[in-house]
Amino acid sequence: MTFKSSYSHLLLAYLSHLSLIISTALLMMSSVMMSSALANPWLLPPDTVVISGRYDYAYANQEFLANDGSLTPFSLNGEYQSSSYTLGARIGISDYIEVEASLPFKTVSYEADPLILLATDEGMGTTFDFYQDNIINFNQTSMGLGDLILAARFKTSSYPIASSLELRIMAPTGYNAPEGTFGTDPNTVDDFVDQAGELVNPSNISDDVTLGDGVFSFQPILHLGYGTASGFFVRGSGGIQFRNQGAGDLFTGELKLGQLFTSWFLAYAGIYTEKTLIEGRPIGVSVAAEDASLPASEYSGLNNLKPIVVNLDRDQFMLPVGLLFRPLPTVDIVFSYAPVLSGRNVAKSHTISVGVNVVSMLK
């Protein structure tokens, strides 16, 4: 999933310039709120508004398979790449309530070597017709708005342990929902093998390169946090993401430790995990390579292919680390890196993020 065409390079250059514009236009929080930015149990003071902008870049050339979570390279020299620009706002309503909204603009792409698997009768006439009818190209690119997130947080305690309850809604914005490599039907391996002659053709490639899960979700999350006068803080959170349209429900959990070293510098590290609680419906059949190192010329028919039933379920374990700077009294800039260390039905991605936020008062 990467850009190699001239159009894609121009697009990435444009988006990079846009990221710089966003970063210079948006400014972020005071030193009082540096811990709050990373530890959600501390809500914003009343009549406080924080406007945020964040750029995320992710890259992967390996994946954890959907069936057993085994790590394998993307077949056919496949590469995944994504960029997202997220704008958001947090507003302190009272001492006990704050609300938040965010919306990303995303570009997600996948690129791999083309190949010929099954020849059609129509394609055997001439060499040109043969390649015209039988070359399968797995390259996919999606661009547009991702999932809209709306959230409200309610303070439940402040001392000695700060805590808050968050209610979060995530809604797709009309992008194409993910499917199996050859569509949503069939959704069993046996049916795929029986219908391979009809399914495996260039016009039937769907894949799952989309901007999100394509389902609505509701997620209650409990945040707990503790901070000291020396600037150390620890934060933990856990919640269940309930998803509709037959998608499996997920548990999400996070633990973060941080230290404020000066009035303008903070470092943190933590863990983040997602775990499927209830298995969801199949969205089709995907194919993985028995030997992902083989070139396209070594594929023939269904040899070296391993059909896998896929759904929207996933497991993942990430290790985010980051730095927060305060160049101005009302500005925070956050740099972070979050690799996926293990999982199932996810890419082994490496995500680099830059976030800028500005705080202001309504009154």
Side-chain angles (χ1 to χ4, degrees):
M1 302 182 179
T2 184
F3 293 112
K4 293 184 179 178
S5 66
S6 59
Y7 168 79
S8 299
H9 283 300
L10 289 174
L11 177 61
L12 284 178
Y14 168 77
L15 293 178
S16 296
H17 287 303
L18 179 61
S19 176
L20 292 176
I21 293 173
I22 292 175
S23 296
T24 54
L26 296 172
L27 304 173
M28 189 179 178
M29 310 183 91
S30 65
S31 59
V32 176
M33 297 179 185
M34 291 184 75
S35 296
S36 301
L38 296 174
N40 282 340
W42 292 277
L43 274 62
L44 295 177
D47 301 320
T48 304
V49 178
V50 176
I51 305 298
S52 63
R54 190 182 75 248
Y55 170 70
D56 301 298
Y57 169 78
Y59 169 82
N61 57 14
Q62 296 176 291
E63 64 178 328
F64 297 99
L65 294 180
N67 59 340
D68 58 7
S70 59
L71 178 62
T72 180
F74 288 126
S75 57
L76 302 169
N77 296 313
E79 296 179 346
Y80 163 88
Q81 188 176 23
S82 73
S83 295
S84 65
Y85 301 80
T86 303
L87 295 179
R90 293 172 60 191
I91 303 175
I93 304 299
S94 71
D95 290 331
Y96 296 92
I97 302 174
E98 77 169 41
V99 294
E100 180 178 7
S102 64
L103 181 65
F105 179 86
K106 303 177 68 174
T107 299
V108 183
S109 66
Y110 181 81
E111 187 170 283
D113 297 337
L115 82 164
I116 296 175
L117 289 177
L118 299 175
T120 62
D121 294 337
E122 293 82 359
M124 300 303 292
T126 67
T127 300
F128 178 81
D129 289 339
F130 176 81
Y131 287 106
Q132 189 85 338
D133 293 340
N134 293 281
I135 290 182
I136 295 178
N137 192 337
F138 293 102
N139 295 354
Q140 299 281 329
T141 299
S142 295
M143 180 187 304
L145 296 176
D147 292 324
L148 171 66
I149 296 178
L150 302 174
R153 297 187 188 93
F154 306 89
K155 183 170 72 173
T156 52
S157 67
S158 57
Y159 184 84
I161 302 296
S163 65
S164 64
L165 175 65
E166 177 178 339
L167 302 179
R168 178 184 299 181
I169 297 174
M170 184 179 298
T173 55
Y175 55 82
N176 293 328
E179 299 178 350
T181 302
F182 301 101
T184 57
D185 187 33
N187 54 29
T188 69
V189 171
D190 290 340
D191 288 345
F192 170 79
V193 173
D194 293 340
Q195 304 174 43
E198 303 173 9
L199 296 173
V200 183
N201 64 76
S203 63
N204 203 37
I205 300 299
S206 295
D207 218 326
D208 57 354
V209 181
T210 65
L211 304 175
D213 292 339
V215 299
F216 287 87
S217 70
F218 169 73
Q219 185 175 16
I221 306 171
L222 178 63
H223 300 286
L224 301 171
Y226 174 77
T228 68
S230 63
F232 171 79
F233 76 85
V234 56
R235 166 201 162 180
S237 64
I240 299 178
Q241 186 176 5
F242 299 98
R243 304 190 292 173
N244 73 344
Q245 301 181 41
D249 299 332
L250 304 174
F251 166 80
T252 64
E254 184 178 30
L255 178 65
K256 187 176 293 182
L257 305 174
Q259 177 65 51
L260 180 66
F261 293 98
T262 70
S263 61
W264 53 269
F265 176 67
L266 179 150
Y268 71 89
I271 59 174
Y272 174 80
T273 185
E274 293 181 355
K275 181 69 176 178
T276 297
L277 298 177
I278 300 175
E279 183 176 347
R281 63 173 176 83
I283 61 171
V285 175
S286 183
V287 288
E290 296 284 357
D291 184 354
S293 65
L294 291 180
S297 58
E298 298 296 324
Y299 287 73
S300 177
L302 298 183
N303 295 336
N304 198 44
L305 294 184
K306 178 168 55 177
I308 297 173
V309 175
V310 293
N311 48 35
L312 297 177
D313 304 345
R314 63 177 175 270
D315 302 328
Q316 62 176 327
F317 180 82
M318 305 176 69
L319 185 64
V321 296
L323 302 173
L324 187 149
F325 297 91
R326 185 177 64 90
L328 295 173
T330 58
V331 179
D332 283 347
I333 302 176
V334 182
F335 300 90
S336 65
Y337 168 65
V340 176
L341 302 184
S342 63
R344 182 178 62 86
N345 200 22
V346 294
K348 191 180 188 302
S349 60
H350 302 265
T351 302
I352 300 173
S353 304
V354 180
V356 185
N357 309 273
V358 61
V359 63
S360 63
M361 303 300 295
L362 293 176
K363 298 179 181 180

